[in-house]
Amino acid sequence: MIHYPRLKSSATIGITAPSSGVQEELHHLIDQSIERMEERGFSVVCGETVWTQDKSASAPAAQRARELNQMLKDPSIDLIIPPWGGQLLIEILEYTDMKKIDKKWILGYSDTSVLLLALTLKTGMATAHGVNLVDLRGKKTDDITAKWRDVLSTEEGGTVEQYSSEKYQREWDYENPTEVVYNLNEPTEWKSIACRGESFSGRLLGGCIDVIQHLVGTPFGDVEGFRKNFISDDPIVWYFENCELNTAGVRRAMVQMRLAGWFDNCSGILFGRSSANDPVDNYEIEDVYKALSEELSIPVVYDIDCGHVPPQVTFINGAWADVEVENGKGKVRQTFK
């Protein structure tokens, strides 16, 4: 069975950087984020790794893992949110003590999704793929992003619904920030590769393709073991988002996952919007999705609210999800069972 933490209203948030830390010239982003969290009634504990960044990481792998382990075991910390993602989180997995952790939420995306997926697969503890800390520094929060708190506050056995956004942010405009951080100005449309309405259900698993693909074949990417130990014969709904890969790169990752058995008993796949997905020799991203749908005989839905093109739905690894897509709109109903 899946183990679900529950966020309380007066929770203590632990901020640590298991991947990238924050350069000195951007420390004000963390200061603003902490201020907003405290205004919302949370207490904040900030680790040392948050404030440093060199050689593509906040600190050496063992040091990053040590600080993360301390927060994982600390019963006074209810939720861990890294400042953002990065590049080298995979380095800390072998140093992370996944056997002795206090049940708590970990929230984030991008490189953080390596930790999220590995933890859920190894321990059966639910983890939350959603907003990063620095994206919560705004004076206001859009409705889709703000839902993270409701999702993480859901009782075990309870249900929470999320809906597709009305608009998304095509690109960052750092010169013209808004009170909600994002500039949401493009109409959202959830699409089906079959050009029809879709409905499917299963246990959620996923993350950023760029980095979670490297879990394939390692002890931290044992999807078959996760099935046997925690979800029995339940189908899986995979969700993915692409940060930097071109279409051939996405295709290679999908084939590798399929050959590794990740898509066995898969009921459907969701792909987030991406500013990458660059075509290679007229090979478009829709070609990738179509091939995958045909090979697996399952629905593939894309351009959903997930990943590096905000806002994004909060997906809970391990939760049961009922997904409905119709006329460009989407609904994800998650049940913590």
Side-chain angles (χ1 to χ4, degrees):
M1 61 180 295
I2 304 298
H3 308 286
Y4 297 95
R6 188 185 181 194
L7 186 68
K8 56 188 180 183
S9 58
S10 57
T12 296
I13 297 174
I15 306 173
T16 185
S19 184
S20 287
V22 181
Q23 301 92 331
E24 185 174 357
E25 62 269 24
L26 297 177
H27 282 181
H28 65 280
L29 300 180
I30 300 301
D31 293 334
Q32 291 172 7
S33 301
I34 292 173
E35 182 181 355
R36 296 290 174 253
M37 286 301 185
E38 290 176 341
E39 288 174 357
R40 293 164 184 154
F42 297 110
S43 299
V44 176
V45 175
C46 197
E48 293 180 0
T49 61
V50 174
W51 308 103
T52 55
Q53 174 70 6
D54 185 44
K55 298 186 183 300
S56 202
S58 64
Q63 181 180 343
R64 284 180 274 148
R66 184 164 55 249
E67 187 173 275
L68 174 65
N69 286 335
Q70 290 172 348
M71 290 194 179
L72 285 172
K73 297 175 183 178
D74 188 343
S76 70
I77 293 178
D78 306 290
L79 165 65
I80 296 173
I81 312 181
W84 45 31
Q87 301 287 340
L88 298 176
L89 190 144
I90 197 169
E91 290 184 330
I92 76 166
L93 293 182
E94 61 189 302
Y95 304 112
T96 303
D97 188 353
M98 299 185 183
K99 295 181 179 179
K100 299 178 181 179
I101 58 178
D102 188 69
K103 188 167 72 171
K104 66 192 65 185
W105 285 114
I106 306 176
L107 172 66
Y109 76 104
S110 192
D111 203 28
T112 303
S113 66
V114 172
L115 176 63
L116 302 178
L117 183 58
L119 267 174
T120 297
L121 293 180
K122 291 283 284 186
T123 71
M125 186 176 76
T127 54
H129 185 279
V131 68
N132 285 328
L133 179 76
V134 296
D135 299 323
L136 294 172
R137 69 186 186 276
K139 294 180 180 179
K140 298 180 180 179
T141 308
D142 67 275
D143 291 342
I144 304 300
T145 302
K147 195 70 174 179
W148 73 268
R149 190 167 181 174
D150 291 339
V151 176
L152 271 54
S153 300
T154 301
E155 296 180 351
E156 187 160 353
T159 296
V160 60
E161 292 184 351
Q162 296 174 88
Y163 298 86
S164 54
S165 64
E166 292 295 327
K167 293 183 179 181
Y168 71 93
Q169 174 180 279
R170 179 180 293 276
E171 58 187 17
W172 288 97
D173 184 359
Y174 297 108
E175 301 302 319
N176 297 289
T178 72
E179 287 189 328
V180 297
V181 178
Y182 305 137
N183 291 280
L184 304 176
N185 50 21
E186 294 287 335
T188 295
E189 181 183 4
W190 287 25
K191 304 170 185 175
S192 163
I193 200 63
C195 299
R196 67 186 182 209
E198 301 285 8
S199 178
F200 49 93
S201 302
R203 296 281 180 179
L204 284 168
L205 289 176
C208 180
I209 301 169
D210 311 47
V211 288
I212 67 169
Q213 66 175 317
H214 299 296
L215 295 179
V216 173
T218 75
F220 303 98
D222 187 4
V223 176
E224 182 180 359
F226 172 75
R227 289 194 189 94
K228 292 179 180 179
N229 295 329
F230 302 111
I231 64 170
S232 188
D233 296 325
D234 288 348
I236 292 175
V237 171
W238 283 96
Y239 66 89
F240 297 115
E241 61 104 357
N242 174 25
C243 180
E244 298 177 337
L245 298 177
N246 62 29
T247 55
V250 175
R251 176 59 176 162
R252 286 193 296 268
M254 293 298 106
V255 172
Q256 183 179 13
M257 292 175 186
R258 176 173 59 80
L259 294 176
W262 279 28
F263 297 143
D264 293 351
N265 197 21
C266 174
S267 58
I269 300 178
L270 303 166
F271 286 93
R273 293 179 296 263
S274 176
S275 57
N277 290 337
D278 295 328
V280 177
D281 191 26
N282 200 36
Y283 189 46
E284 305 286 344
I285 194 61
E286 288 81 6
D287 297 321
V288 178
Y289 299 157
K290 185 173 186 292
L292 195 59
S293 179
E294 291 176 348
E295 288 166 352
L296 301 175
S297 298
I298 59 171
V300 170
V301 172
Y302 62 104
D303 284 359
I304 73 161
D305 296 293
C306 178
H308 287 75
V309 182
Q312 58 179 313
V313 166
T314 302
F315 287 112
I316 301 301
N317 288 318
W320 181 268
D322 299 301
V323 179
E324 297 179 16
V325 180
E326 188 76 41
N327 298 323
K329 304 296 183 182
K331 181 175 78 170
V332 178
R333 183 174 187 263
Q334 296 182 83
T335 303
F336 290 9
K337 65 178 182 178

